[in-house]
Every structure is written in C-alpha cells, then in structure tokens.
C-alpha cells in the first residue's frame, strides 16, 4: 500500500485544484532559487499560506506529478475511551481525572502499562453515561 493519492478517487474539483497548483509551481521549481516575490504572488494566486506553499513545493520536488499536489484527505475520526466519539462530558471527565491524579500526587499501581488509569477513567465515563441515560429515561435495569 502506498501513501500516494489516487487520482481516480478524487473529485473533479480537487483534481482541477491540483492541476492549477502544478501550473503555478512547476516553473518555480525549475529555478535554482525561488524569489520572495514569486512566493508571494504564487501564494496569492493559489490562495495558500506560505507554509503550505513550501510543503507543496517539497512534495512536488520529491515526486513531480500532479497527484502529489492534491490536498490530503483526513483520516477517520478518533474514538474516545468508550469506543465511540467522545462527548464534551467524556472529554471533561478525562481531563479532570488526569488532573486530579497529577495534582494529588497519587500514583496508580498498574505495572507500568497505564491500564489502571485508563480503567479508572473508563469507569468514570461509564458512570457519567449511566447518569445521563437515567436522566433522559433511556436504558436502566429492566
């Protein structure tokens, strides 16, 4: 598996954007040195920040094909400790749990793998979700 973008899997709009970028960047990388004026005008033309422009130049120098100038697609959303998207309350509980463990100077004996802390936080999150379910009338014992 490669980390290269598949030109057939992108939208026409994204591909056209990469084509425009190539037309602007290809003549610049042929130069020994890119002037500040060229950078500024190209950034304005492409609607890029300078940092992103230099990232694209580096990628294009490494692999001078249009697909190297495609925007990267974001990966899947990260899950919280409960295995689902984290809620604001869950994030808050994790932060409070970590902060209180640090501020109290307590050390959880866990064999060095962090499992006890993760388990304690996961228990707090589960309890909060149970309270939230009871408040909304969902779940509970049958």
């Amino acid at each position: 598996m490669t980390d290269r973008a598949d030109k057939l899997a992108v939208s026409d709009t994204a591909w056209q954007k990469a084509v425009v970028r190539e037309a602007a960047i290809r003549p610049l990388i042929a130069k020994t040195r890119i002037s500040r004026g060229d950078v500024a005008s190209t950034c304005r033309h492409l609607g890029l920040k300078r940092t992103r422009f230099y990232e694209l130049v580096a990628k294009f120098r490494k692999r001078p094909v249009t697909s190297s100038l495609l925007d990267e697609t974001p990966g899947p959303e990260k899950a919280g400790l409960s295995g689902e998207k984290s809620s604001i309350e869950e994030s808050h509980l994790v932060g409070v749990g970590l902060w209180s463990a640090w501020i109290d100077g307590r050390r959880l004996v866990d064999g060095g793998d962090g499992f006890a802390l993760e388990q304690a936080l996961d228990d707090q999150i589960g309890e909060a979700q149970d309270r939230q379910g009871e408040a909304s009338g969902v779940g509970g014992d049958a």
Side-chain angles (χ1 to χ4, degrees), residues 55-125:
E55 288 171 355
L56 291 172
V57 166
K59 286 173 69 174
F60 195 69
R61 281 185 171 150
K62 184 177 178 182
R63 202 168 62 92
V65 294
T66 306
S67 60
S68 66
L69 298 174
L70 289 167
D71 285 327
E72 296 168 359
T73 56
E77 292 187 36
K78 304 293 183 213
L81 293 177
S82 64
E84 300 173 3
K85 292 180 187 173
S86 66
S87 66
I88 293 172
E89 183 179 7
E90 185 175 312
S91 298
H92 175 73
L93 286 171
V94 170
V96 168
L98 291 172
W99 177 252
S100 64
W102 179 80
I103 202 75
D104 293 343
R106 290 181 283 163
R107 294 179 185 256
L108 297 171
V109 178
D110 60 3
D113 64 358
F115 178 74
L117 178 58
E118 182 179 348
Q119 187 61 47
L121 292 173
D122 205 28
D123 290 345
Q124 285 183 354
I125 291 165

Side-chain angles (χ1 to χ4, degrees), residues 12-30:
D12 290 337
T13 308
W15 184 255
Q16 196 56 38
K17 188 176 181 181
V19 168
V20 170
R21 287 175 174 177
E22 180 187 10
I25 291 174
R26 185 176 290 280
L28 295 178
I29 67 165

